[in-house]
């Protein structure tokens, strides 16, 4: 349980950092960076783990490519 709490706290810190980055996107265009979509989606599913279990959702994840892009925006896409 403590490991899950620590992991959630780490992800929350990452989200806060990502929000700060997002707030700068409109003023500073950064070049796309490689984003591992499999890892990104795995992280999102971890964030949504409680909700997934509450709703008995079934998620099937197959390997996804690494693509050039903005990890924050792609994460928001998958989370939503």
């Amino acid at each position: 349980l403590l490991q899950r709490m620590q992991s959630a706290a780490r992800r929350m810190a990452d989200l806060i950092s990502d929000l700060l980055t997002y707030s700068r996107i409109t003023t500073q265009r950064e070049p796309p960076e490689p984003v591992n979509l499999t890892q990104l989606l795995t992280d999102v599913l971890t964030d949504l783990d409680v909700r997934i279990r509450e709703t008995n959702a079934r998620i099937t994840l197959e390997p996804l490519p690494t693509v050039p892009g903005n990890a924050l925006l792609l994460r928001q896409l998958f989370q939503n």
Side-chain angles (χ1 to χ4, degrees), residues 16-29:
I16 291 169
S17 175
D18 289 345
L19 283 172
L20 290 172
T21 301
Y22 180 71
S23 70
R24 292 184 209 113
I25 286 176
T26 58
T27 59
Q28 301 173 357
R29 296 279 179 189

Side-chain angles (χ1 to χ4, degrees), residues 22-57:
Y22 180 71
S23 70
R24 292 184 209 113
I25 286 176
T26 58
T27 59
Q28 301 173 357
R29 296 279 179 189
E30 294 181 19
E33 296 181 1
V35 179
N36 180 329
L37 293 181
T38 300
Q39 182 60 52
L40 186 74
L41 188 53
T42 299
D43 293 344
V44 168
L45 290 175
T46 300
D47 290 344
L48 298 174
D49 182 60
V50 172
R51 186 71 177 139
I52 291 169
R53 283 190 280 143
E54 287 175 349
T55 59
N56 293 320

